[in-house]
Amino acid sequence: MEELLELTKKQLRFQKIITAFLAFIIVMLLAAGVMLVNQMNRMSVAMNEAVEKLEQIDIEAINDTISGTQEMMQSIEEFQGAVDDMTLHVQEFDGWLSGLFGRN
């Protein structure tokens, strides 16, 4: 009977150790949960600030700028074509003058 009582005391001590360990794990999980919620709140605030800043960007002005840049590039291409044509005419005229005065 005394052996049974001794075995029961050992089991009770072992269960107390397990219970304390489980309580420690629960406390740690709760602390981690609180920290996670805190981080999520900070992330939420940061995301809201980012969304507000993105909403302030004037997309129409950007599109107008891009459109103006494209028109300017087209004008530059037309000007470049005109310069190329003028260069060709000057070279032809130079060739004609060279032929006229006998220069080769």
Side-chain angles (χ1 to χ4, degrees):
M1 179 83 170
E2 193 168 305
E3 291 175 4
L4 187 58
L5 187 59
E6 194 65 34
L7 181 63
T8 304
K9 284 182 183 181
K10 285 182 181 180
Q11 287 177 345
L12 182 60
R13 191 173 349 170
F14 187 66
Q15 285 180 347
K16 284 181 182 180
I17 291 170
I18 290 174
T19 302
F21 184 69
L22 290 174
F24 176 74
I25 290 174
I26 289 172
V27 168
M28 294 304 289
L29 285 174
L30 287 174
V34 168
M35 289 189 316
L36 180 66
V37 167
N38 189 18
Q39 284 288 4
M40 292 301 285
N41 286 338
R42 282 194 227 167
M43 287 176 56
S44 177
V45 168
M47 289 297 290
N48 287 337
E49 290 174 359
V51 166
E52 289 174 5
K53 287 182 181 181
L54 286 174
E55 288 175 348
Q56 292 174 356
I57 293 175
D58 188 6
I59 301 297
E60 283 299 317
I62 292 171
N63 286 340
D64 290 342
T65 302
I66 290 171
S67 181
T69 303
Q70 289 174 342
E71 290 173 4
M72 185 175 66
M73 292 300 290
Q74 185 177 6
S75 296
I76 289 172
E77 287 176 8
E78 291 172 1
F79 178 73
Q80 183 180 4
V83 168
D84 288 344
D85 287 343
M86 183 59 87
T87 303
L88 182 63
H89 289 309
V90 168
Q91 287 173 347
E92 289 174 357
F93 181 70
D94 184 48
W96 180 77
L97 280 178
S98 295
L100 185 64
F101 294 115
R103 290 184 295 169
N104 288 340

